[in-house]
Amino acid sequence: MPELPEVETTRGGIAPHITGQRVTGVTIRNRSLRWPISRGLENGLTGQRIESVERRAKYLLLRTANGCAIIHLGMSGHLRFARPDEPADKHDHWDMRFANKKILRLNDPRRFGALLWIRTDPLRHPLLKNLGPEPLTTEFDGKALFQRSRNRRVAIKSFIMDSRTVVGVGNIYASESLFRAGIHPLRAAGRISLARYEILADQIKAVLTESIEQGGTTLRDFLDSAGRPGYFAQRLNVYQRAGEPCPRCGKPVRETRSGQRSTFYCTRCQR
DNA sequence: AGAGGTACCTGGCAGC
DNA sequence: TGCTGCCAGGTACCTC
């Protein structure tokens, strides 16, 4: 479910409601997410005031004076505010309650997500310390991609989905940005010119920005924290459109696999 | 070091 | 209706 635009949409949806609020309690119904939720989380977080709600890559960071909650939504995770009397669903694994009576609730059927509590700088945490640049900053550009890709034989799609290259480019936006840039998804990363990387970096920024503006991409089940779907699916050019005409040239969109992931492209427009 | 595969988990869907 | 197999938006970890 969530790629960077979905996580950013979630961050924007919850931040106004919990920033500055004190946590009055935490209920954990199922500790076994990707990593077990630590026993110390409830005690550490309860009573703390949320100083900020930030995002790094697809991680949400709830910072307090005492520590930081790191949230990852995995493949199927979803945060929303529950009504006070609303019974927990089967996959509602945890709630955070706040002084303003808001209840932040996580639903995650596949449990690939995470909830961690750490007392040190979250950006130095092993999960975050080796992450590449944020795509929507000036730190990320064609030159950075070009330099990092020299002598690399890996397929360009796998390369841009590697979080050490750049964070936040998941399976949907990898296909979409390569289509927009006219680059074949299986081309070796080391065999792409600087000029083409400049275009690719611009298109990665553009596709992510447009998707955030549309509230993310709803394929099956993504809803933002207020229960609204995202509308970017209507703007997808190739993703999950195998057999449909390429929007640029009309040739049927082809589907292949790259790194065990579905990959969509146009054989004429992408070289 | 780099490339590729596997694993984690549930649910939905196509096909029989 | 119910079974089986496959697929799904992520990413750490394993092997070669």
Side-chain angles (χ1 to χ4, degrees), chain A residues 159-227:
Chain A
F159 180 69
I160 60 173
M161 288 180 70
D162 183 337
S163 62
R164 291 164 301 184
T165 304
V166 58
V167 302
V169 181
N171 204 35
I172 300 174
Y173 302 111
S175 277
E176 290 298 310
S177 57
L178 288 168
F179 171 77
R180 291 179 178 216
I183 298 172
H184 194 292
L186 301 183
R187 173 171 285 275
R191 300 197 55 236
I192 295 171
S193 68
L194 174 59
R196 300 187 83 197
Y197 270 125
E198 306 274 15
I199 295 168
L200 179 56
D202 286 348
Q203 293 307 319
I204 288 172
K205 290 171 190 279
V207 76
L208 293 175
T209 302
E210 289 168 31
S211 183
I212 292 167
E213 286 166 2
Q214 295 293 310
T217 301
T218 295
L219 290 181
R220 287 167 189 75
D221 53 7
F222 175 76
L223 301 174
D224 71 12
S225 58

Side-chain angles (χ1 to χ4, degrees), chain A residues 31-141:
Chain A
R31 308 193 87 90
S32 37
L33 302 187
R34 176 164 200 148
W35 297 283
I37 299 174
S38 75
R39 292 274 162 195
L41 180 129
E42 294 97 314
N43 273 346
L45 189 54
T46 301
Q48 292 298 304
R49 197 181 72 91
I50 304 297
E51 293 178 343
S52 65
V53 181
E54 297 168 35
R55 179 188 59 71
R56 172 72 174 113
K58 293 169 191 164
Y59 296 93
L60 290 170
L61 308 178
L62 275 50
R63 291 183 186 267
T64 79
N66 194 38
C68 180
I70 302 178
I71 299 168
H72 197 288
L73 300 175
M75 282 284 249
S76 57
H78 169 228
L79 283 174
R80 65 188 188 85
F81 289 106
R83 296 187 308 272
D85 55 347
E86 196 175 340
D89 181 69
K90 185 176 176 185
H91 300 296
D92 287 341
H93 304 312
W94 55 255
D95 290 353
M96 279 182 205
R97 296 184 299 282
F98 297 89
N100 60 0
K101 305 296 182 192
K102 297 276 183 185
I103 302 170
L104 186 64
R105 180 167 285 178
L106 173 88
N107 184 275
D108 184 4
R110 292 175 74 179
R111 290 190 278 120
F112 287 176
L115 174 59
L116 307 173
W117 174 250
I118 58 162
R119 296 187 179 274
T120 52
D121 178 6
L123 301 182
R124 297 220 176 113
H125 188 276
L127 288 171
L128 281 80
K129 69 179 181 191
N130 293 322
L131 293 174
E134 286 288 328
L136 301 180
T137 62
T138 54
E139 195 189 345
F140 172 68
D141 59 14

Side-chain angles (χ1 to χ4, degrees), chain A residues 6-28:
Chain A
E6 290 71 31
V7 177
E8 182 58 27
T9 297
T10 299
R11 191 203 64 77
I14 67 174
H17 300 286
I18 67 172
T19 305
Q21 291 296 317
R22 208 164 284 283
V23 178
T24 55
V26 180
T27 300
I28 298 172

Side-chain angles (χ1 to χ4, degrees), chain A residues 231-247:
Chain A
Y231 294 98
F232 195 72
Q234 300 160 23
R235 309 275 190 96
L236 296 175
N237 286 304
V238 290
Y239 189 80
Q240 284 192 350
R241 295 197 187 279
E244 293 180 37
C246 164

